[in-house]
Amino acid sequence: MGVTPKIAPSMLASDFANLASEAKRMLDFGADWLHMDIMDGYVSLLSWTSLLKDFASLSFYFFSTSCFSHFHRHFVPNLTIGAPVIESLRKQTKAFLDCHLMVTNPIDYVEPLGKAGASGFTFHVEVSKENWQELIQKIKSKAMRPGVALKPGTPIEEVYPLVDSENLVEMVLVMTVEPGFGGQKFMPEMVDKVRVLRKKYPALDIEVDGGLGPSTIEMAASAGANCIVAGSSIFGAADAKLCFGKSGEMLTSFLQPRSKHICF
């Protein structure tokens, strides 16, 4: 397999009040990338109903009904970080900031994230079917590395055109949980997507994200994933240090290639 193993702790699971020090701690342990989850959030109908009851004014009613459809179109319910946080973290580290965009309109984020210092820009295929070629071009024009992600219910064939294109993505992120929240249970059936991708694209970076830990990383890695994202299993561990060959210490709950020594 002609790919490089990459370990990317998901900073969504870190202590946001101490983001810079958490990032440094992960890098000191041996992390290759820092995974940054950028989510747009949406407001549910139930939330709007509650707000209308609390603020029963006509003007508020018109405001809420006109805005509801906009919020509901957002990609995931959770709301996390944006370009200002990336910019702040960039001032504290030279690390590769692996940004995963779980948003409805990723093209709107290209310029601000490029200016903020993002290294990688991974967008979802589900929201980019009409403009992925333009999106990839813009990402590269801002000196970021383009990647494409797909939800568990999306057929793997939908990313093929983006990898086969002349202006191609450089990584495919296979979600092994539904996007939106950390700490979910790994979906083993997603491993088949990884296996198919690796057979078709031997030199492609294949990232997996969701529910990765000591009991699941080996399954994903053996199928061909070379980029591992893990959050709760690392930041929630009693001891985040492990043996990591020449580098000394690494992160708990990660499976490393056979060329590297690891202990859980």
Side-chain angles (χ1 to χ4, degrees), residues 214-237:
S215 63
T216 54
I217 290 175
E218 183 174 3
M219 190 186 308
S222 64
N226 67 296
C227 304
I228 304 295
V229 176
S232 302
S233 61
I234 296 173
F235 289 97

Side-chain angles (χ1 to χ4, degrees), residues 21-244:
S21 61
E22 288 279 73
K24 184 179 184 302
R25 182 166 72 102
M26 294 298 108
L27 294 167
D28 287 346
F29 287 164
D32 299 285
W33 292 353
L34 297 177
H35 189 77
M36 313 300 295
D37 288 307
I38 298 173
M39 309 182 194
D40 54 9
Y42 66 69
V43 179
S44 68
L45 179 59
L46 180 62
S47 299
W48 279 115
T49 302
S50 177
L51 285 170
L52 287 170
K53 288 180 179 178
D54 293 338
F55 301 93
S57 69
L58 186 61
S59 61
F60 183 81
Y61 172 78
F62 283 125
F63 170 78
S64 63
T65 53
S66 65
C67 289
F68 169 70
S69 59
H70 170 73
F71 282 111
H72 194 68
R73 286 197 301 268
H74 289 189
F75 194 66
V76 291
N78 202 9
L79 181 64
T80 57
I81 64 172
V85 174
I86 300 299
E87 183 178 12
S88 295
L89 185 58
R90 173 54 72 211
K91 295 175 182 177
Q92 305 297 321
T93 182
K94 295 181 179 179
F96 187 97
L97 300 182
D98 176 35
C99 295
H100 175 199
L101 281 289
M102 287 166 273
V103 301
T104 302
N105 299 304
I107 202 163
D108 294 340
Y109 293 73
V110 175
E111 185 170 348
L113 282 175
K115 289 181 178 178
S119 309
F121 188 111
T122 299
F123 58 91
H124 269 263
V125 67
E126 297 87 359
V127 296
S128 308
K129 295 178 181 180
E130 304 299 323
N131 67 344
W132 60 265
Q133 292 174 315
E134 178 188 5
L135 181 53
I136 293 171
Q137 184 59 45
K138 285 195 172 186
I139 293 168
K140 291 183 176 181
S141 73
K142 298 300 179 182
M144 294 183 289
R145 190 170 188 258
V148 64
L150 67 161
K151 297 167 67 174
T154 303
I156 192 63
E157 291 80 8
E158 291 199 14
V159 305
Y160 291 170
L162 287 74
V163 185
D164 293 331
S165 170
E166 182 177 337
N167 191 27
L168 49 75
V169 294
E170 299 178 34
M171 183 178 74
V172 173
L173 166 54
V174 176
M175 292 299 297
T176 47
V177 299
E178 290 294 340
F181 291 94
Q184 297 182 61
K185 187 177 179 180
F186 180 79
M187 300 172 69
E189 60 271 26
M190 294 301 106
V191 171
D192 287 339
K193 291 183 179 180
V194 175
R195 190 173 291 109
V196 169
L197 271 179
R198 179 54 68 210
K199 183 177 180 180
K200 187 173 177 64
Y201 304 107
L204 177 68
D205 272 337
I206 302 174
E207 187 171 61
V208 285
D209 181 5
L212 277 303
S215 63
T216 54
I217 290 175
E218 183 174 3
M219 190 186 308
S222 64
N226 67 296
C227 304
I228 304 295
V229 176
S232 302
S233 61
I234 296 173
F235 289 97
D239 182 1
K241 294 182 179 181
L242 55 75
C243 305
F244 186 45

